[in-house]
Amino acid sequence: MEQKKAKKIDHEEYKEIYGAALCISSFKHLILSPESAMNLQTSLQATIDIPRVPSLNGLIGRCSQPFEKQLTETDVNSKQCRLSINKVDVENAVTPLLKEEEDVEKGIRVKVYDANGKEYPMTFKLWAHKLHVLKEGWIEFCTDHALLAHQDFLKLWVFRNLHTQDLCFFITSRRLQEFQPIKKRRLNA
């Protein structure tokens, strides 16, 4: 029977491992200066595709990965007054950022920012127990950006304001010469 050989750790390697463990365990007692905290936040955000808008510098805290949506007829209809958001996108981008006391069925006041940093107050809500929407301010956003159904694609980020901890959205749009809706395939079909 072959004996397993235990890896020998020499004295220098042991000192290095012990030093690293001691350093890591001391982090829970570390108080960062505001400048160090901002530097750490900036380096953490470098790993996430966050919006690069000068007027939002220093405002973006926890942030979702972006998701895209092709606008539909009902999204740009002034009588509907809302942007519908896919349930899967809500689960992946919005839900992880929600606070326990925030109730989507009652509605959450949010700030939505465009690519220029202009702020649009809106409400994020679950409509009729099945449809997540941004409303109350959406039509103004639509009009300001002359958005069109099927041609305009939105890229949305969800984030917490670093100072107020309010829930916020950042939305950019791009226009394609596509006049047909693109159907998303259902993952659980």
Side-chain angles (χ1 to χ4, degrees):
M1 193 169 165
E2 193 174 308
Q3 278 187 327
K4 292 183 180 178
K5 293 184 180 178
K7 181 182 175 187
K8 287 188 177 181
I9 299 177
D10 67 12
H11 183 69
E12 288 302 313
E13 189 176 2
Y14 177 77
K15 280 175 46 179
E16 187 177 324
I17 292 170
Y18 179 76
L22 184 61
C23 182
I24 291 170
S25 68
S26 69
F27 284 164
K28 69 180 182 179
H29 301 289
L30 182 65
I31 298 173
L32 296 176
S33 69
E35 182 181 335
S36 296
M38 285 299 286
N39 289 339
L40 180 59
Q41 181 75 21
T42 301
S43 63
L44 289 173
Q45 288 178 339
T47 62
I48 297 176
D49 178 15
I50 62 167
R52 306 281 183 231
V53 178
S55 63
L56 297 182
N57 283 350
L59 288 183
I60 299 174
R62 288 179 42 219
C63 185
S64 72
Q65 288 292 341
F67 59 94
E68 285 198 336
K69 176 188 176 25
Q70 181 184 28
L71 290 176
T72 63
E73 294 290 340
T74 57
D75 291 327
V76 298
N77 184 330
S78 62
K79 293 178 183 164
Q80 297 275 331
C81 300
R82 52 77 173 156
L83 170 70
S84 65
I85 302 175
N86 181 299
K87 180 181 178 182
V88 172
D89 292 327
V90 169
E91 289 171 354
N92 292 331
V94 181
T95 303
L97 295 176
L98 290 178
K99 295 179 182 175
E100 196 173 302
E101 66 272 12
E102 291 174 323
D103 187 345
V104 178
E105 289 190 18
K106 290 181 180 176
I108 302 167
R109 298 293 298 154
V110 299
K111 291 184 174 124
V112 177
Y113 296 92
D114 69 7
N116 297 318
K118 182 176 178 185
E119 183 181 305
Y120 296 83
M122 295 187 202
T123 301
F124 177 70
K125 186 174 175 95
L126 179 63
W127 247 7
H129 303 289
K130 63 179 181 177
L131 185 66
H132 291 89
V133 297
L134 278 173
K135 55 186 232 120
E136 298 165 5
W138 170 248
I139 289 304
E140 180 186 351
F141 187 97
C142 239
T143 303
D144 285 357
H145 298 88
L147 297 175
L148 300 172
H150 310 303
Q151 291 183 53
D152 286 321
F153 290 76
L154 303 182
K155 190 171 187 178
L156 298 92
W157 289 260
V158 184
F159 67 93
R160 284 281 173 192
N161 182 302
L162 199 54
H163 305 292
T164 65
Q165 289 303 306
D166 290 340
L167 190 65
C168 302
F169 286 74
F170 177 76
I171 301 177
T172 61
S173 64
R174 62 185 169 93
R175 181 160 294 163
L176 298 179
Q177 296 307 313
E178 173 64 43
F179 291 93
Q180 296 299 315
I182 297 173
K183 299 282 185 185
K184 283 191 175 180
R185 292 190 319 187
R186 289 194 149 173
L187 299 175
N188 298 331

